[in-house]
Amino acid sequence: MHTREACLAADRQDPLAALKHQFDLPPGVIYLDGNSLGVLPKAARARSAEVIDQEWGVGLIRSWNTASWFDLPARLGDKLSRLIGANDGEVVVTDTTSLNLFKSLAAALRIQQQDHPERRVIVSERDNFPTDLYMIQGMIDLLQQGYQLRLIDDATPLEAALGDDVAVLLLSHVNYRTGYLYDMAATTALAHRHGILTLWDLAHAAGAVPVDLNGAEADFAVGCTYKYLNGGPGSPAFIWVAARHQDRFWQPLSGWWGHQRPFAMATDYQPASGIRRFLCGTQPIVSMSLIECGLDVALQADMTAVRDKSLALTDLFIELVEQRCADHPLTLVTPREHARRGSHVSFSHPQGFAVMQALIARGVIGDYREPEVLRFGVTPLYLGYADIWDAVDTLKDILDSGSWDRPEFHQRASVT
Amino acid sequence: MHTREACLAADRQDPLAALKHQFDLPPGVIYLDGNSLGVLPKAARARSAEVIDQEWGVGLIRSWNTASWFDLPARLGDKLSRLIGANDGEVVVTDTTSLNLFKSLAAALRIQQQDHPERRVIVSERDNFPTDLYMIQGMIDLLQQGYQLRLIDDATPLEAALGDDVAVLLLSHVNYRTGYLYDMAATTALAHRHGILTLWDLAHAAGAVPVDLNGAEADFAVGCTYKYLNGGPGSPAFIWVAARHQDRFWQPLSGWWGHQRPFAMATDYQPASGIRRFLCGTQPIVSMSLIECGLDVALQADMTAVRDKSLALTDLFIELVEQRCADHPLTLVTPREHARRGSHVSFSHPQGFAVMQALIARGVIGDYREPEVLRFGVTPLYLGYADIWDAVDTLKDILDSGSWDRPEFHQRASVT
């Protein structure tokens, strides 16, 4: 596709093209940041009015039963399970990804403590999303039981990091910065050969790439609903545990929602059977209810078609940047190999921050990640081929003209 | 006030009466469950549309800065601080009450570990809201460091429970079932004399009774925004720490939002200075934004006037029930003494469950708490004297007629 016309023709052939009409996209914007915050499903507007006016305003306390608020974490979990190769009763939507990491890490460590108490190393990746590392560090600091964090990096490849001293391997299925995609089945099998339990962070994978947790025989997983699943800003996260661990898992954030009989008001904690014991406290019902609108759109799309389009769009993005911006110091960060690529494309540029600000000012919204990385999320549910063309066209113009080099584009907000 | 007319006259004199017009109250309902889920502030409807349509739909990722989403936990915390005797920069709104208990308990235990490592007992109350006990139990089980939970009950009064082996005293300011109100200043002073740190659960106190955390020299506090503060179903909770502990506190749920520079993507966790280090992951922005609508109404009311009206209404409720329902086996559970009473009234009745279902069917919505307790929340911002009269009138009719004794009123929902 070397012309905009060819892109438009591809859009006309796109079997997923109609889905974008189920979202409200802001005018004048090409949104390449759906891997940070997904867009607004049109259905969310009516759903929020229903939850606020009727369920809260009129139903009030009765809505815990009549509007099934109590069931939301498990009901949304069942819907979400279809997108990640899980079964009904294996997923709940609740809390945040960071907190769910803490719960599942505690559960995995407890299983290992019982079976292999000598294993005191948690392996993760130096380039993992920082909160994953921070939560591990917090757990180690809290336990004071001699646990250590070992990081995979250039000096320590995955194979070298895994040994008989390792309890848990915690990886992101898709790397937040590079877009690198792990082979979940092969990596899990490798970990299992070493007696190691796996904990997968699906933040940049759920809804973005095919995920088959049960097929991969994974142990634990957590993830995010506000990126590719379009659940809304900060919408609650999810947590999955393999059925074979359901009778054994234990987690320390043992609030009343995870109790077998939350309203018996018993003095002692008795965990609910199944995945519900991963619940802790009362959930933010308005934010949580809106997740269903995004899930319902995602469930209309065949994941094979989503993956095909994602690869076609990321291929196109890479190809156009390399052809049309060849004179500029852009370096591809994302793997070229399809099997190793998630659904976003990253290029580094020495002035990445300013270039991204210039793009955003022109309505091409991607984001910037330290160091020097321009990150472009590719979301097949609402992006087309011509969008990619236009985005690269704008990038080319900004780079050719040098218009990124203005004072306002170098200015960093307090939080960026 | 022995007649409905006298109650109506009192309503006409009520300086807080106008505030109820800022809430949407369902027609035909007397809502005595605002201590479980507060009502809908009218402003929440427009605010939710703004957050969903504009901030999410149009602003998208930009809204983290342009709509100040990043600042919400601290900005709402500053507003809330005025209702609990705290200062700016001492409170954040985030996560759930259970999770905030875990964080502050960890912080308190860490301080004691450094100063008095021999203290390994956590004191709470057998009659405390169960999640408080469950979170302590989860922490003890996780740490495996010889911590113990000691419970205040009929056999072990507060004074007997506090000794040189105690690290932390965790109490609810107002008991969820009985409405018993602790003297926070005196109890904190007693704990401090024994070298014990205090952690107060304000779930049934914030917005309901005067709270003066700094005046009481308390150490830590957590609480709920969806009860008396009318933040919406499951809206995020809050956490407070005394300024003198701010440089020392540490908590293990160390997600990226509590990092000093969350977007530096550093490998190692470095806590933010101040209360922000109690943050963990990304917050549910829609639910969180609506909290402000409830807070804004609460901040219009003088807390002394709220307390006066609360006591007048709970006095009236007790008096009317004891006068008009004297033939029925109702026993007052709530303290008569003003200084020991929160803002709800509880009576036990051998058939409490069925009586409450009959009341709800007649539009008088309170709730039932094990064992046998009819609980009536009294919320001065939107309830009046005639509402109390009408509620007791309905209770009297249900008891006199025996109309509670129908099969449907004995039927328990899966979660009640």
Side-chain angles (χ1 to χ4, degrees), chain A residues 173 182-189 200 202 211-213 216 218 340:
Chain A
H173 193 198
Y182 269 98
D183 181 334
M184 184 185 283
T187 307
T188 299
W200 289 97
L202 304 180
V211 179
D212 188 2
L213 288 167
R340 296 282 71 78

Side-chain angles (χ1 to χ4, degrees), chain B residues 329-368:
Chain B
L330 286 162
T331 308
L332 181 65
V333 172
T334 301
R336 283 181 202 279
E337 190 190 343
H338 281 182
R340 295 283 72 79
R341 190 194 303 161
S343 197
H344 65 268
V345 176
S346 296
F347 283 93
S348 66
H349 184 286
Q351 295 293 331
F353 182 83
V355 172
M356 182 51 73
Q357 302 319 305
L359 276 166
I360 293 171
R362 294 271 296 267
V364 177
I365 301 183
D367 63 21
Y368 172 76

